[in-house]
């Protein structure tokens, strides 16, 4: 099913924890194809050959093959938390997934000790994903700001974004895992070249980072939700302090890194998943209700997609941009058959 979407309207900004509303500029979309629909609060997109695997926050993994949606069960060792923004979040397939049936997942759970996030391995067996190994536990979790994105970097290490769990001071505490970007070996051990001795912390001073990607030359980028507007796209380097809660947006202070791009004080993107293609960053925007395109050469940005509501994650493969809406998460206005996985060509000839 192919259709053309044009424009979207501005919504009034709201300061409700995770996200704020972004203004739009009525950017006309190219043709957008619906790949799959009737998704239940999808969060991460992964793809193996012609098959998609999407996490859904309530605790499922959706397999999409030839347009057919199959909801696969997930057997976890802890009960998934139902707090706002929580659930089964980040998900990345093992580099040898076709042989190992292995993946890595990040989820929020609650037990007698409290509410936390953890990173585990999942093995696909007989159409069910089974939690096997615990890689990292007790990542701070609160009423909001769980972070949750997982990616395997070009160095073969597992990276995770961890939010400040609504406790902003822990972002500057190098002993806490909250408000950080974390870096692990695939077996859960600490890489010996991490910037701080015997620590998973790769960078700190983050509020609620939710997107990560690398350029073709290996430059590392991440998105981050600001407090009230002031959303950020950052260039990440190991050991750096990205300022929260001391500085945000265009503010500067010695020893802290200011972003490459910021929404400023009057606009909010609520940026989530991101990917790289031909010197441009493609970023899912929730309150912004768009896929944003950041040109690293011109240092300008525009809306590449608009009018489809809240967008949670993006994936670029060859010249195709895939993205998922997030209108069923309690903060959007779902239409019939939402949420959906979409595809749009990035080729200039299409």
């Amino acid at each position: 099913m192919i259709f053309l979407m044009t424009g979207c309207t501005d919504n009034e900004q709201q300061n409700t924890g995770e996200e704020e509303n972004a203004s739009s500029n009525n950017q006309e979309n190219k043709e957008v194809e619906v790949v799959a629909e009737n998704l239940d609060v999808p969060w991460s997109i992964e793809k193996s050959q012609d098959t998609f695997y999407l996490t859904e926050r309530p605790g499922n993994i959706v397999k999409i093959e030839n347009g057919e949606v199959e909801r696969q069960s997930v057997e976890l060792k802890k009960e998934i938390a139902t707090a706002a923004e929580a659930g089964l979040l980040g998900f990345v397939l093992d580099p040898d997934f076709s042989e190992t049936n292995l993946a890595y997942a990040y989820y929020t759970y609650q037990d007698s000790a409290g509410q936390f996030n953890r990173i585990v391995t999942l093995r696909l067996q007989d159409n069910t994903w089974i939690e096997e190994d615990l890689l990292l536990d007790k990542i701070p979790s609160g009423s909001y700001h769980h972070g949750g994105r997982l990616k395997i970097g070009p160095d073969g290490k597992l990276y995770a974004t961890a939010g400040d769990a609504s406790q902003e001071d822990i972002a500057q505490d190098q002993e806490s895992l909250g408000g950080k970007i974390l870096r692990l070996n695939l077996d859960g051990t600490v890489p010996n070249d991490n910037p701080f001795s015997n620590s998973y912390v790769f960078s700190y001073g983050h509020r609620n980072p939710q997107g990560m990607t690398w350029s073709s030359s290996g430059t590392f980028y991440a998105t981050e939700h600001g407090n009230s507007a002031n959303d950020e796209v950052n260039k990440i380097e190991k050991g750096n302090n990205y300022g929260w809660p001391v500085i945000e947006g265009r503010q500067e202070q010695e020893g802290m890194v200011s972003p490459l791009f910021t929404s400023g004080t009057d606009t909010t993107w609520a940026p989530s998943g991101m990917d790289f293609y031909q010197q441009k960053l493609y970023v899912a925007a929730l309150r912004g209700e768009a896929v944003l395109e950041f040109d690293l050469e011109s240092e300008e940005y525009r809306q590449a997609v608009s009018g489809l509501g809240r967008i949670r994650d993006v994936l670029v493969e060859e010249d195709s941009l895939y993205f998922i809406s997030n209108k069923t998460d309690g903060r959007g206005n779902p239409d019939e058959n939402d949420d959906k996985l979409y595809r749009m060509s990035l080729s200039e000839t299409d």
Side-chain angles (χ1 to χ4, degrees), residues 69 74-75 83 110 133 141 151 221-222 231 242-243 247 317:
V69 175
V74 182
E75 295 182 1
Q110 187 147 11
D133 296 326
S141 176
K151 293 287 182 179
Y221 300 95
D231 297 310
Y242 289 84
I247 64 171
E317 185 178 73

Side-chain angles (χ1 to χ4, degrees), residues 77-79 81 109-116 137-138:
K77 295 179 180 179
K78 296 285 187 177
E79 183 177 352
Y109 71 91
Q110 187 147 11
D111 63 14
S112 59
Q115 183 176 295
F116 303 96
D137 203 359
K138 299 299 176 65

Side-chain angles (χ1 to χ4, degrees), residues 77-334:
K77 295 179 180 179
K78 296 285 187 177
E79 183 177 352
I80 283 185
T82 58
E85 306 174 16
L88 181 56
L89 305 176
F91 180 76
V92 61
L93 299 175
D94 185 76
D96 298 319
F97 173 71
S98 59
E99 288 80 34
T100 64
N101 281 346
L102 187 70
Y104 305 86
Y106 183 115
Y107 72 93
T108 316
Y109 71 91
Q110 187 147 11
D111 63 14
S112 59
Q115 183 176 295
F116 303 96
N117 298 294
R118 58 174 11 196
I119 301 171
V120 302
T121 62
L122 300 178
R123 183 88 61 179
L124 180 60
Q125 298 179 4
D126 299 325
N127 224 31
T128 298
W129 294 86
I130 300 172
E131 178 178 337
E132 285 195 344
D133 296 326
L134 174 63
L135 302 186
L136 183 58
D137 203 359
K138 299 299 176 65
I139 301 169
S141 176
S143 54
Y144 297 103
H145 305 169
H146 315 289
R149 190 68 58 193
L150 291 182
K151 293 287 182 179
I152 295 177
D155 57 3
K157 306 300 183 183
L158 181 63
Y159 290 77
T161 66
D164 69 5
S166 304
Q167 306 171 56
E168 59 184 36
D169 290 343
I170 69 174
Q172 290 294 319
D173 180 0
Q174 293 182 21
E175 299 300 315
S176 172
L177 296 176
K180 309 296 190 296
I181 292 178
L182 309 173
R183 181 173 181 257
L184 299 72
N185 291 318
L186 295 185
D187 63 1
T189 57
V190 177
N192 57 20
D193 58 345
N194 270 9
F196 306 107
S197 178
N198 197 33
S199 172
Y200 292 104
V201 174
F202 188 78
S203 62
Y204 65 107
H206 298 288
R207 181 175 181 267
N208 192 27
Q210 283 197 1
M212 295 183 288
T213 194
W214 287 260
S215 71
S216 53
S217 61
T219 304
F220 184 15
Y221 300 95
T223 63
E224 184 168 337
H225 290 205
N227 183 23
S228 179
N230 290 312
D231 297 310
E232 298 180 356
V233 175
N234 286 294
K235 178 182 176 182
I236 303 297
E237 296 180 342
K238 71 177 182 178
N240 279 354
N241 181 353
Y242 289 84
W244 175 254
V246 182
I247 64 171
E248 62 175 338
R250 295 187 176 92
Q251 296 174 335
E252 297 180 355
Q253 184 162 309
E254 185 176 356
M256 297 181 179
V257 180
S258 298
L260 290 179
F261 299 92
T262 177
S263 64
T265 58
D266 298 326
T267 301
T268 309
W269 303 324
S272 191
M274 68 188 308
D275 212 339
F276 173 87
Y277 177 77
Q278 294 188 353
Q279 300 308 308
K280 295 175 181 175
L281 299 173
Y282 289 89
V283 174
L286 291 156
R287 286 286 182 188
E289 299 190 348
V291 176
L292 304 176
E293 178 190 88
F294 295 86
D295 192 315
L296 295 170
E297 295 179 343
S298 70
E299 299 183 348
E300 297 177 344
Y301 82 93
R302 70 180 185 94
Q303 291 185 341
V305 174
S306 60
L308 296 175
R310 297 160 55 80
I311 308 299
R312 174 62 72 178
D313 196 18
V314 298
L315 173 70
V316 175
E317 185 178 73
E318 297 179 346
D319 62 353
S320 291
L321 171 69
Y322 298 94
F323 57 97
I324 46 175
S325 64
N326 226 186
K327 295 191 283 185
T328 59
D329 67 351
R331 292 176 173 173
N333 297 302

